[in-house]
Amino acid sequence: MWLYLGKRIVLAIAIIAIAVTLLFLMIRAVPGDPAAVLLGPRATLEMKAQLHQQMGLDKPLVVQIVAFFGGLLHGDLGFDVFSQRPVADIVFEQLPYTIELILVSIFWAVMIAVPLGCYLAIRRNSLVDQVASVVTVATIAIPSFVVAVYVLLIFAVTLRWLPAIGAGNNFRDVLIHLILPAFAIGIGWVGYISRLVRASMLEILGENHVRMARSFGLSEWRIVARYALPLAILPTVTIIGVGIAWLLSSAVFVEVVFARPGIGALIVSAVNTRNYPIVMGVVLVTTFLIVTATTLSDVANAFLDPRTREKL
Amino acid sequence: MNPLLRVKDLHVRFRTMGPLKALATGTKDPFIDAVCGVSFEIRKGETLALVGESGSGKSTIARTIIGLQRAVSGSITFDGQEIEDLSRTERKPYLRRMAMMFQDPLGSLSPRLTVQSLLTEPFRIHGLKDCDVGGEAKRLLRMVGLPADFARRYPHQLSGGQARRIGIARALALNPDLIIADEPTAGLDVSVQGEVLNLLARLQDELGMAVLIITHNLNVVRHMADRMAIMYLGRFVEVGSTERIFDQPRHPYTEALLAANPEPDPDAVLNRIEVRGEMPSLLRRPSGCEFHTRCRYAQDICGRVFPEPSSTPDDTEHSFRCHLPLERDPATLFERRLSPVDFTSRITSRHRPSASPRSVAPK
Amino acid sequence: MVIVSSRLGPNDAAEAGPFGAFLRQFRKNRVGVVGAVLVILIVASAIFAPFVVTHDPTRIMVGPRLAPPSLDFILGTDQLGRDTFSRAIMGSRIPLLAASVSLSSALAVGLVLGLIAGFGPRWLDNLLLLVFDTIRSFPSIIFALAMIALLGPSLASVILVIATTSMPIYARVVRTQTEAQRSSEYIAAERSMGAGTTRILAVHILPNVLGPLMILVSMDVPAVIAVEAGLSFLGMGVRPPTPDWGAILNDGYNYIDRTPWLVIAGGIPIVLATLGFTFLGEALRDIFDPKLRKDL
Ligand SMILES: Nc1ncnc2c1ncn2[C@@H]1O[C@H](COP(=O)(O)OP(=O)(O)O)[C@@H](O)[C@H]1O
Ligand code: SF4
Ligand SMILES: [Mg+2]
């Protein structure tokens, strides 16, 4: 187990290192002066010269990469010329909005999806189950930005029940502003998780000790709640870790549609203004988030299921 | 005359864990020696049988000869040429002259190819493009007694026995000098086993190739082999002519194997060799004679001194590794063979029965 | 892995052609049939778009601005007075083009790298796996935006990004399947006959890998359509005035408080296309390889 844990952490660090190197090389691969690329179109000559020296562009590539890593280890993601602030400050200012959105989305999705999955497992192959199996696939398939635009049209623009843009100020306001965005992100997860719960529930319900409990006359719901649910929920927990990339992608669109603050909105505006330091900062931070989340979920998986340990 | 195949002091080892894990668990020697100093020869047209429990290294020897596995040391010469250290391309001409049949009759046939393509793979691999593919397939099918319309079938439409016949036909496609058959009857019905063996024996008579046959089944050995070798933990413990060994085993392990497979009943429990106790792990080879943990004749010396091969003066081809080889006495042996329970029972008697007529080998 | 006729007895192979068996099974899957119909309609309208459109999709002011649906303009008009229906029909070409180009190049590269990883030496396998894992750990849309920032917004950038990010998944599947067969006895048998690596890969491994891979690719089509539309929605995809579903939705979003019609009309093709390809892909997977990627 400890060996697995060690290997998994080394792997995660290796992935982050390679990712950073790739990103660095990507910037360098863009034709033209990398300092100009990094600083964006509004950079002055002195700024370029200064950055040249800072980046050590006259030194060999390897030295540059090492210096880049050194900066990262100190939390230095670069400097934004537009706002005259460190990139790290800007990114970490926006990050909480995105995380809040993601957490609320996944929370409501789990709250709906787990009972739904249980219900469908109990009523397996009934009409409800068959209809649900189509509807859940549909909710997974429809892109979140389409859902976002449609709910915006219906509930904010047409019915005017909910606010269309922004993130809100006080607690109540924040929650109200979260309803539509969280719906757009979470609806696909409702489909996904309920299918997952249903499938693992059926697997568990087919096992011997559960059949035994049934033969003692326990009701189906009791059996589900007592025996099956704790086991069926585990794959869900670990899958969310893997799904963080998907969540972040949806968040980008939803933040744009609802004009919410967050790193999605940040990177879109940065791309539009060619503000490369911000773009790279967001990519680095989100990559780090994803690697951490997948590593955690792999490790959790390994603790729960010894078979996965062998695979690495 | 030069032997067709000569294997000399062959060593094959496998890694048991990655270097990292070995370091983490403090294992100094993360290898097992699956084959450990094996030497033998096969003459043209001769049949040698390898016998031994599962995991004793029989298949590994076969795979090393054919080049699927590298040896750590030792030499393999085919028709006078060293072939162990050849690269894949250098080995190719020799692979035309030897063919291996693998243990799983169905699993060794590529699932998406028709029988015709399977049978003519060897021609395509060796660039014999100008041959008549359909005709060759028909010839080979006829040779192994299958109807010509089998050429269009796929492996999943074959029974185990049919697949085995296809395997034999493919092995014989290029008329090789040597065939290696790894448990050719494993997994087949008893009646089909007989058919397959008869086919193999008939084809050997007709075509005159040498055969290295690997088996658990002593009836197969008696049926097919001129000579036999008994393997234990990657070593030969006894080698000699089949007749001689069946008649007069010198190694206690051989004796136990023969006893577990009584002669009069050809359909006796096959593929199983009953010797009391578990085979020791290759990771921890016993000291001295490696069989002493299971040998009912074991003495002090057995646990301490590793026995070198020795042979009887009148038959230098018959050699065995034992400090206390069994006495040559067909009468008592016959008696023993009548009471196999004695050798297979798990009730261990550490003492040699005084009735047992054995002499301590001169050392 | 025997994909189609694995349950046929020794003699009935000739009667039941594998395709007939497939059709019979497929017809039973009603959702799959709906998906197939949608896909056929979308692909056909993309191919025959010039004959289907009622107006020139790029001509401005063929009608009034932001008009609701009418007999002349079935789905209304946009802010420049262009016919939304014609733009939606013509707009199907870009997503389908993006999907086919990016997925086929991802498939080709993934296939080669997967075979190398699965059949090559262990260290190369580990190295490639590390690369695959690295690319997969980039947050897809955010990574796409970063690449577009560097390359500039265009269809080519979108295709490149999609190909890069979907390749590792295919490569991994190929690698796993190759690895599983590598130690199989028939590969050993081929080697023992003297077959070289190229021959083993091309004749024996490739056909077994291709089936599951094609299913995976077909299941990725809706995701690619969504990404392309999404990036165009953000203004990072095709350049105006090229008609494209994501771009139409974006126009609708910009005028959402003036008219609901543009948003409705812009989103429907995306919904129909993703649903159609998803239903079709799921049905194909259920028929051919139910175990494959059970969890989505
Ligand atoms: N590729 C391999 N990697 C590691 N160990 C192996 C490998 N092949 C065989 N072995 C080990 O070598 C020993 C001999 O195996 P094998 O030659 O297959 O025995 P047999 O054919 O007599 O049953 C066994 O302990 C087996 O576990
Ligand atoms: S040497 Fe001793 S232990 Fe080994 S086989 Fe002979 S009698 Fe048995
Ligand atoms: Mg074997």
Side-chain angles (χ1 to χ4, degrees), chain C residues 128-148:
Chain C
L128 285 172
L129 280 181
L130 199 57
V131 173
F132 301 157
D133 282 350
T134 306
I135 299 180
R136 288 202 318 171
S137 66
F138 284 130
S140 48
I141 287 292
I142 291 176
F143 179 64
L145 289 171
M147 297 254 284
I148 287 167

Side-chain angles (χ1 to χ4, degrees), chain A residues 11 141 150 192 249 256-257 276 286, chain C residues 139-140 149 253 264 267-268 278 295:
Chain A
L11 181 68
Y150 278 6
Y192 188 33
S249 293
V256 170
V257 170
Y276 294 105
T286 47
Chain C
S140 48
Y253 171 71
I264 296 172
I268 284 173
T278 303
D295 52 3

Side-chain angles (χ1 to χ4, degrees), chain B residues 34-296:
Chain B
V35 177
C36 199
V38 162
S39 306
F40 63 90
E41 293 177 356
I42 301 180
R43 283 159 236 149
K44 288 201 167 71
E46 189 192 34
T47 303
L48 172 70
L50 291 186
V51 183
E53 281 165 284
S54 187
S56 56
K58 308 180 298 290
S59 299
T60 305
I61 292 182
R63 295 171 67 90
T64 313
I65 294 172
I66 211 87
L68 294 173
Q69 184 66 52
R70 272 271 127 99
V72 190
S73 68
S75 103
I76 301 172
T77 47
F78 184 80
D79 207 8
Q81 292 286 320
E82 176 64 48
I83 58 168
E84 206 292 309
D85 50 4
L86 294 186
S87 73
R88 219 173 255 165
T89 33
E90 289 167 335
R91 189 188 293 269
K92 203 168 161 183
Y94 295 96
L95 292 180
R96 237 182 110 160
R97 299 181 53 196
M98 45 177 136
M100 179 157 170
M101 286 153 55
F102 288 80
Q103 194 167 336
D104 181 354
L106 266 172
S108 49
L109 302 178
S110 190
R112 287 170 176 276
L113 264 51
T114 59
V115 165
Q116 167 155 330
S117 311
L118 288 166
L119 286 178
T120 50
E121 264 299 274
F123 296 97
R124 280 189 298 274
I125 289 171
H126 291 283
L128 307 168
K129 289 211 174 69
D130 40 333
C131 71
D132 164 23
V133 172
E136 287 292 343
K138 268 201 203 95
R139 172 181 74 85
L140 290 167
L141 283 171
R142 187 159 1 96
M143 192 166 81
V144 294
L146 290 174
D149 64 356
F150 265 63
R152 290 200 318 268
R153 293 201 176 177
Y154 285 92
H156 67 265
Q157 300 168 327
L158 301 173
S159 71
Q162 290 163 348
R164 179 47 85 208
R165 281 168 191 265
I166 302 289
I168 294 175
R170 180 169 68 175
L172 293 173
L174 298 178
N175 219 343
D177 298 321
L178 171 69
I179 281 202
I180 302 174
D182 193 350
E183 314 214 4
T185 56
L188 302 180
D189 290 342
V190 176
S191 58
V192 182
Q193 289 187 0
E195 286 170 26
V196 165
L197 286 177
N198 287 335
L199 175 68
L200 212 53
R202 198 194 82 220
L203 290 170
Q204 189 182 12
D205 278 349
E206 283 169 19
L207 305 170
M209 71 277 184
V211 177
L212 174 61
I213 188 166
I214 294 171
T215 182
H216 290 295
N217 186 334
L218 288 163
N219 295 317
V220 172
V221 178
R222 198 201 294 268
H223 190 86
M224 299 258 324
D226 302 311
R227 291 191 303 128
M228 66 191 289
I230 292 92
M231 284 194 80
Y232 191 71
L233 296 183
R235 295 184 211 275
F236 280 6
V237 294
E238 184 160 5
V239 202
S241 79
T242 307
E243 206 179 333
R244 189 68 176 256
I245 289 180
F246 268 86
D247 225 36
Q248 171 61 78
R250 303 301 305 275
H251 197 282
Y253 182 55
T254 315
E255 184 197 44
L257 298 189
L258 293 179
N261 189 70
E263 180 184 3
D265 177 11
D267 291 343
V269 188
L270 302 170
N271 295 337
R272 263 183 63 210
I273 285 168
E274 295 183 57
V275 183
R276 67 157 201 236
E278 294 276 311
M279 191 167 76
S281 157
L282 283 171
L283 289 168
R284 271 173 290 111
R285 287 175 174 273
S287 61
C289 169
E290 289 166 347
F291 187 55
H292 84 262
T293 54
R294 300 164 87 190
C295 180
R296 64 193 302 268

